Amino acid sequence: MVRPEFHGSAAEYFRIWIVNLLFTLLSLGIYSAWAKVRKQRYLYGNTSLDGDTFNYFASARTILKGRVLAVVVFFLYAILTELYPDSIWVFLALGVLLLPLILVRALRFNARMSAWRGLRFDFPARVRDAVPLYLGMSLLVVLTLGLAYPWFIAKHKQFVVSHHAFGTSPLGCAVPVGRVYGIHFRAGLIIAGMSLVAVLGAAVLSPVAMLLPEAGWLAFLLPVLAIYIAYAFAYAYLQARMTNLVWQNTYGAGVRFSSTLGAIDLAGLYISNLLAIVFTLGLAVPWAVVRTLRYRMENFAMLVTEEVVHEASPELLNISATGQELGEIFNVSFGV
Amino acid sequence: MSSLAAHYFDGARALRHDVTLVLSGGKMKIVGRDVDREVEAQRVRISTRIASTPRWIYLPGGGACVTADNAGVDRLVHERKAQRTLHALESRPAFAAAAVFLVAALFWAIVDSGLPLAAAKVAEHIPLEAESSLGGEALAGMDQFWLQPSQLPLDQQADLSVRLAALAALAGDAPVYRLEFRASPVIGANAFALPSGIIVLTDELVKLAQADEEILAVLAHELGHVRHRHVMRRLLEGSAIALLVAGVTGDVASATSLAAAAPTLVLQTKFSRDNEREADAYGIGLLRKAGIEPRHFGAILARMEAQAPKGPMLPSFLSTHPSTDERKEFSGSR
């Protein structure tokens, strides 16, 4: 059993992060592409699996092109949907239609820019493989008023993982749909239960607020905070259980995987990260990144069942970073 | 003697070989148990240094070596000065401490003046008509929920309209606006500027005013919102702030992106307060030009505040308007 190890430190990462943030602000955002590459290279270069570190190849220029396009699209979206509310349908339609393209290109870019033992990862799926799943299934989710959503998520995770490859060695993945429904159902219960507590709390607090008008805003803040915490818990629960489930059902040439993320651990991590970031006005971001990464690595393992020599895929073309950056800026979560 | 220990990968198969790199006579030799390569040292590409992560030495014709011996690599090759400076900046605590202060100062400069200035410049180039569909919908929405037809006599409405037009004409740079009279028991005494220059005045405000000058003072303030394109600027500033905050917190997992909501709210209310001050200044300037005493503005604000229903007290950094005391002082009524 092999676990990834992280050799960096929050203090070291902070020094890189803050200097890169300074240059990014000085250059009005342009340097952010170089900053991204340097930060990513720090994290990859400090992560080792079975004695060898990872390598990140992406060029800052490629990432910059994607970011410029993404920022332009973002401003157009923000302003046009406000001025002409009906235009949201145009953006939505474009987004749904382009999703398969953006998703496949982003995943391929990220995979090909990552390497281990001198061998690049790959994502050889074609855009047309993604079309039936993402267009058909998203329509189904709408038509069933969301009932098909966990099914869609199961198929989505399966698509993403099973199209990844290390060199020419593909990964296989079969996510059991029934288990995904169970996980989403329990996450829904967590939100419903904790929202009920928040509402009851608000009912108790509002007479107090009447008596103490100076502290009145607290009575409004506390229930909102409780609902935030409920979402954080539900989110952490979904993340932990889904990640574990996906990796348990993933296999590659001579390898299996295990993931043992804990929902409560992860929720604690998210909430403490949030508090630290708020109270340090953002300075705790690098620390939060490093400890989250560490926790995830401690709970991931690769089981080598058979010694296989993995080989490189023959063609590795240069592709644009556009897809990746669009995906990142609109916060579409492509990872597993 | 320049040699160092490294791992070699041929790039075709994920197999690690322990090797020694030897540099002599313009050639780089890679020697190990199953490896014996020699390449032109000139054509070797070495990854730039980032903290103490291992360095990659990419060989011409494929294959690469990696070594954790950063000092050894630095002895072997001289990085360009810019790269060495970058590494120095990223690794010394003193620079990090200086960067914290510079980032804070820069952030403040961007948020306090850079961004509002840029938004104002951009907004000037977007015609007011671009807001017309939004303005129409905003008014229709308010009509449906909070506003009723005005009960003011038509001649009083006409009189106020004429006096406002005369006031606006004095400004020289007055924007295109449209004055709308409405009654609103829900909202009470108030006036507001909607997108595309629609200014709504409630009957309740007209009743609360002890002189027409007070009404004109409030309307002059609303003209300031229209003149300075506060609707469009709020939009531009909001989008820019979202990007800026995402740029800082974007590295962290999504659940933590809740952390981005709080600063966004604080910054947006700051912009809102700044806009109110700008509209106050415009309105008072206009009153002076018309020979109306600015204290009328402070007087009506004070009465509006006294009459407004008491909501929960918000801390000043979350309030959309500056305090009435501050605004009264500004209009010279104290």
Side-chain angles (χ1 to χ4, degrees):
Chain A
M1 196 161 77
V2 193
R3 280 187 196 284
E5 280 173 60
F6 188 70
H7 310 281
S9 73
E12 203 174 38
Y13 186 52
F14 176 82
R15 298 201 283 268
I16 293 175
W17 180 84
I18 191 77
V19 168
N20 280 278
L21 180 60
L22 175 63
F23 289 161
T24 298
L25 289 177
L26 278 174
S27 65
L28 299 176
I30 301 199
Y31 193 78
S32 74
W34 280 263
K36 155 133 193 180
V37 170
R38 291 187 79 83
K39 287 186 285 186
Q40 201 78 342
R41 281 185 54 202
Y42 176 81
L43 298 175
Y44 273 45
N46 274 311
T47 303
S48 72
L49 184 66
D50 202 12
D52 290 300
T53 58
F54 290 80
N55 199 356
Y56 186 67
F57 292 113
S59 98
R61 275 165 196 276
T62 323
I63 288 179
L64 182 64
K65 278 186 219 155
R67 289 205 163 174
V68 168
L69 178 63
V71 165
V72 169
V73 170
F74 171 76
F75 266 98
L76 281 179
Y77 168 83
I79 289 163
L80 288 179
T81 55
E82 189 83 17
L83 290 182
Y84 311 103
D86 286 341
S87 68
I88 189 135
W89 300 109
V90 177
F91 281 100
L92 222 71
L94 274 179
V96 169
L97 284 176
L98 290 178
L99 178 66
L101 177 80
I102 296 172
L103 182 108
V104 166
R105 295 287 287 270
L107 290 170
R108 190 182 300 158
F109 179 79
N110 254 342
R112 289 185 169 182
M113 294 304 144
S114 309
W116 180 61
R117 288 189 174 164
L119 211 63
R120 289 180 191 245
F121 290 83
D122 200 0
F123 188 77
R126 291 163 306 178
V127 174
R128 75 183 107 125
D129 299 332
V131 168
L133 172 59
Y134 291 98
L135 296 193
M137 286 293 273
S138 43
L139 190 66
L140 191 67
V141 171
V142 174
L143 289 179
T144 58
L145 303 174
L147 276 180
Y149 178 74
W151 188 24
F152 171 69
I153 287 298
K155 293 296 162 200
H156 158 66
K157 301 269 181 197
Q158 190 170 308
F159 178 85
V160 169
V161 175
S162 65
H163 284 89
H164 266 97
F166 177 52
T168 51
S169 309
L171 283 183
C173 180
V175 180
V177 177
R179 303 266 313 269
V180 177
Y181 266 92
I183 291 168
H184 279 79
F185 180 69
R186 284 188 290 276
L189 282 186
I190 293 174
I191 289 187
M194 293 192 66
S195 302
L196 190 69
V197 172
V199 169
L200 290 178
V204 173
L205 279 174
S206 54
V208 181
M210 297 279 194
L211 293 175
L212 297 162
E214 284 79 14
W217 60 283
L218 258 177
F220 280 77
L221 196 67
L222 285 178
V224 172
L225 218 59
I227 289 176
Y228 266 14
I229 291 172
Y231 272 95
F233 260 104
Y235 180 81
Y237 176 81
L238 272 181
Q239 283 276 307
R241 292 297 151 89
M242 283 302 296
T243 308
N244 294 349
L245 183 69
V246 168
W247 282 115
Q248 276 158 22
N249 292 285
T250 300
Y251 46 89
V255 286
R256 296 198 66 84
F257 303 92
S258 103
S259 171
T260 52
L261 295 176
I264 292 177
D265 291 349
L266 209 54
L269 206 60
Y270 287 155
I271 292 169
S272 52
N273 280 350
L274 176 72
L275 290 176
I277 289 170
V278 168
F279 285 110
T280 59
L281 301 175
L283 290 180
V285 165
W287 173 76
V289 169
V290 166
R291 67 197 284 256
T292 308
L293 201 61
R294 270 229 171 86
Y295 176 73
R296 285 178 166 274
M297 286 183 191
E298 281 162 9
N299 284 285
F300 178 84
M302 184 172 85
L303 294 88
V304 181
T305 52
E306 182 193 339
E307 282 303 329
V308 174
V309 175
H310 303 280
E311 296 187 355
S313 60
E315 40 94 43
L316 277 180
L317 310 157
N318 281 328
I319 45 167
S320 153
T322 306
Q324 182 213 2
E325 296 310 297
L326 273 175
E328 182 178 281
I329 204 140
F330 288 120
N331 257 320
V332 184
S333 178
F334 291 154
V336 273
Chain B
M1 180 61 199
S2 338
S3 76
L4 61 125
H7 296 314
Y8 170 75
F9 300 100
D10 64 11
R13 302 187 310 157
L15 273 184
R16 178 179 58 204
H17 305 273
D18 293 330
V19 293
T20 307
L21 298 183
V22 185
L23 195 67
S24 70
K27 304 272 185 198
M28 182 182 272
K29 278 192 182 134
I30 302 104
V31 187
R33 206 155 60 96
D34 316 305
V35 187
D36 189 8
R37 279 185 71 174
E38 188 181 86
V39 295
E40 293 281 343
Q42 287 289 328
R43 296 183 55 209
V44 161
R45 201 170 62 78
I46 298 182
S47 68
T48 53
R49 181 163 186 179
I50 291 181
S52 44
T53 55
R55 296 285 274 286
W56 285 85
I57 300 159
Y58 302 104
L59 308 176
C65 295
V66 62
T67 177
D69 186 359
N70 267 299
V73 174
D74 287 338
R75 253 186 285 116
L76 222 60
V77 284
H78 259 290
E79 268 191 322
R80 274 181 299 160
K81 193 154 183 281
Q83 290 298 339
R84 271 182 289 148
T85 312
L86 211 49
H87 170 65
L89 288 175
E90 285 176 352
S91 50
R92 304 220 181 113
F95 286 131
V100 169
F101 283 103
L102 287 173
V103 162
L106 215 54
F107 212 88
W108 179 248
I110 288 174
V111 165
D112 190 51
S113 38
L115 204 56
L117 212 66
K121 285 261 179 248
V122 174
E124 267 175 32
H125 293 281
I126 303 175
L128 193 61
E129 295 84 70
E131 296 171 13
S132 55
S133 112
L134 182 61
E137 276 179 46
L139 185 60
M142 296 194 76
D143 273 338
Q144 194 178 346
F145 295 107
W146 297 306
L147 304 178
Q148 294 160 11
S150 172
Q151 304 296 321
L152 288 184
L154 283 180
D155 55 337
Q156 195 182 0
Q157 289 188 18
D159 186 48
L160 279 170
S161 297
V162 169
R163 292 199 67 179
L164 179 62
L167 186 66
L170 278 177
D173 63 347
V176 181
Y177 68 90
R178 192 174 100 211
L179 183 60
E180 295 280 348
F181 293 90
R182 294 288 191 278
S184 180
V186 190
I187 297 176
N190 217 326
F192 26 83
L194 296 182
S196 76
I198 298 172
I199 295 175
V200 178
L201 175 66
T202 66
D203 291 1
E204 288 74 8
L205 182 79
V206 177
K207 284 183 200 118
L208 186 70
Q210 289 173 354
D212 274 2
E213 282 73 16
E214 291 185 357
I215 305 171
L216 285 174
V218 172
L219 292 177
H221 164 92
E222 302 306 331
L223 271 182
H225 282 308
V226 180
R227 166 65 186 84
H228 289 294
R229 301 300 301 278
H230 286 158
V231 170
M232 185 55 73
R233 278 166 57 185
R234 182 181 50 79
L235 244 170
L236 293 167
E237 287 163 350
S239 311
I241 281 296
L243 275 184
L244 195 64
V245 172
V248 177
T249 59
D251 297 332
V252 217
S254 315
T256 318
S257 69
L258 293 177
T264 310
L265 182 69
V266 171
L267 290 175
Q268 272 169 349
T269 56
K270 177 202 158 358
F271 288 139
S272 170
R273 289 191 303 274
D274 288 349
N275 287 352
E276 293 302 331
R277 289 191 188 104
E278 196 175 33
D280 283 356
Y282 181 92
I284 285 165
L286 207 49
L287 294 182
R288 287 223 170 87
K289 273 188 196 168
I292 298 172
E293 281 194 55
R295 65 173 172 77
H296 287 298
F297 185 56
I300 185 81
L301 281 183
R303 233 170 296 127
M304 281 163 75
E305 191 188 49
Q307 207 209 29
K310 289 273 174 292
M313 298 253 286
L314 278 174
S316 64
F317 67 91
L318 280 180
S319 174
T320 55
H321 285 62
S323 75
T324 303
D325 284 347
E326 178 195 322
R327 302 176 75 188
K328 266 162 63 184
E329 195 160 355
F330 186 66
S331 68
S333 27
R334 280 209 300 199

